[in-house]
Amino acid sequence: MSTMENVEKRPQFGGRVLGEGEDVFKHNAWDNVEWDEEQESTARKAVEEAACVKVTSDQAQQFEDKADVYWDQFYGIHQNRFFKERNWLFTEFPDLAPNYKAPVRVFKSKDINEESKTDEPKESENKQEEENGQSLDLEAVEKLRHGESWFGQNSTFRILEIGCGTGSTVYPILEVNTDSSLMVYCCDLSATAVNLVQEHKDYSQKRCFSFVCDVTKDWSEAPFEPESLDIVTIIFVLSAIHPDKMEAVARNLFKYMKPGGQIFFRDYGRYDMAQLRFKKGKCIQDNFYVRGDGTRCYFFTQEEIEDLFTKVGFKQTQNLVDRRLQVNRGKKLKMYRVWIQAKFTKPQL
């Protein structure tokens, strides 16, 4: 059995578990799908076979050197049509909007102190114009911006989203969190993506600041100071970075987090459906691939994520494997998804 199975899993989709003999196409998705040894062995062999033929070293270097170009092309083609707003964020990571009453979960692991509701959050439940009956005080926001030596200095709650794309995390946070002291920073390697964030109808540089940044390098141009961030989200973005540069990202995060600050992580897990679809000639190195559009993707284990962040000083507070079975009832297709979700805290001084 995989080490990823050693951690108890949490209920999702209302704890919808596929029972023996039950029609798999009865629902669109099933939670806590157990893999037997045969299925895991089949997945491992598929990965090994696809890795037999790798891209050339010159090609691999090109994908690295032109990563921003490939992502610019991606967003230039898809604009804001590719990603849906991530309204599940406030169920998985409620600290992003402390006063917002999103559906919550109960985690089975005794080591994780989180509550829950049995239903998957519905978009209609998460969409609201006001938080607890209060609207955003724009005058208070304006006053906070006066006399600042750096943008957001007077804010008391600062969030950074790494790999913001077109704003599918940024705008749900701004929508449900009406705290005037909130500042949401967001960055992306792609200038095209950052421009799309700024073109959004709800964009305002009074509580939001977007900027282009290669997070694997020096952050000296960041609009905030070291030890100034309360929360950093890194959701389906670390997988797009070369494994050799991931530690540099973790170290930069540690530098800019406040003591007590949190990292919220979610990304692709080993043997996810997307990994099993890669064919020969798309593998750059073990578990790291290039897509047809030149963007790249890595598939993690829980152990890799734990090691990456704890060795630079973070304390791990959550590390879960989320295995789901999604189905296309019309085409009778079964799609096995594997995601890793984790939380880390910078220790208090």
Side-chain angles (χ1 to χ4, degrees), residues 137-343:
D137 187 341
L138 295 175
E139 184 176 347
V141 175
E142 184 70 33
K143 288 181 179 179
L144 285 172
R145 301 288 77 84
H146 292 165
E148 292 181 326
S149 59
W150 49 276
F151 198 83
Q153 182 181 17
N154 293 336
S155 296
T156 58
F157 184 33
R158 304 187 195 96
I159 297 173
L160 168 65
E161 183 192 11
I162 294 178
C164 61
T166 59
S168 57
T169 293
V170 171
Y171 288 110
I173 292 175
L174 290 172
E175 181 181 10
V176 305
N177 194 330
T178 58
D179 183 358
S180 59
S181 65
L182 169 70
M183 173 57 64
V184 180
Y185 302 103
C186 56
C187 66
D188 201 284
L189 180 64
S190 168
T192 302
V194 170
N195 288 336
L196 288 169
V197 170
Q198 296 175 352
E199 291 170 1
H200 192 283
K201 62 182 180 62
D202 296 329
Y203 182 77
S204 169
Q205 287 200 342
K206 301 300 181 181
R207 286 204 310 160
C208 181
F209 189 96
S210 61
F211 60 103
V212 177
C213 182
D214 181 347
V215 294
T216 68
K217 298 180 180 178
D218 181 26
W219 288 23
S220 59
E221 298 300 318
F224 42 79
E225 295 288 305
E227 297 196 338
S228 64
L229 301 174
D230 294 280
I231 292 175
V232 175
T233 64
I234 183 163
I235 299 173
F236 293 103
V237 62
L238 195 63
S239 54
I241 294 172
H242 195 287
D244 292 347
K245 295 186 175 182
M246 291 179 185
E247 184 176 336
V249 178
R251 293 192 181 280
N252 280 327
L253 290 174
F254 193 85
K255 176 181 178 180
Y256 284 92
M257 295 290 295
K258 289 180 180 178
Q262 299 183 84
I263 288 178
F264 297 153
F265 172 91
R266 188 173 175 87
D267 218 319
Y268 297 104
R270 191 68 49 82
Y271 306 148
D272 177 66
M273 173 191 74
Q275 182 176 17
L276 302 185
R277 285 182 170 179
F278 281 107
K279 305 301 182 183
K280 293 180 180 179
K282 294 296 183 180
C283 184
I284 299 174
Q285 62 183 61
D286 287 350
N287 304 302
F288 190 45
Y289 304 83
V290 61
R291 302 183 181 94
D293 60 7
T295 62
R296 299 168 298 172
C297 189
Y298 187 83
F299 296 86
F300 296 96
T301 65
Q302 290 174 283
E303 294 78 10
E304 288 173 335
I305 293 303
E306 178 180 8
D307 180 64
L308 176 65
F309 287 101
T310 57
K311 71 180 178 183
V312 302
F314 286 105
K315 178 182 177 181
Q316 179 174 276
T317 58
Q318 181 190 81
N319 192 330
L320 302 168
V321 57
D322 184 355
R323 289 188 183 272
R324 299 186 191 180
L325 171 58
Q326 298 175 340
V327 301
N328 183 319
R329 289 188 281 180
K331 297 181 178 180
K332 300 298 182 182
L333 296 177
K334 294 188 287 185
M335 299 164 283
Y336 291 89
R337 306 313 308 264
V338 183
W339 298 306
I340 305 296
Q341 181 168 303
K343 298 179 183 179

Side-chain angles (χ1 to χ4, degrees), residues 87 100 121-128:
N87 295 295
Y100 177 61
K122 298 179 181 179
E123 186 170 344
S124 60
E125 294 173 333
N126 283 333
K127 289 284 188 181
Q128 62 178 35

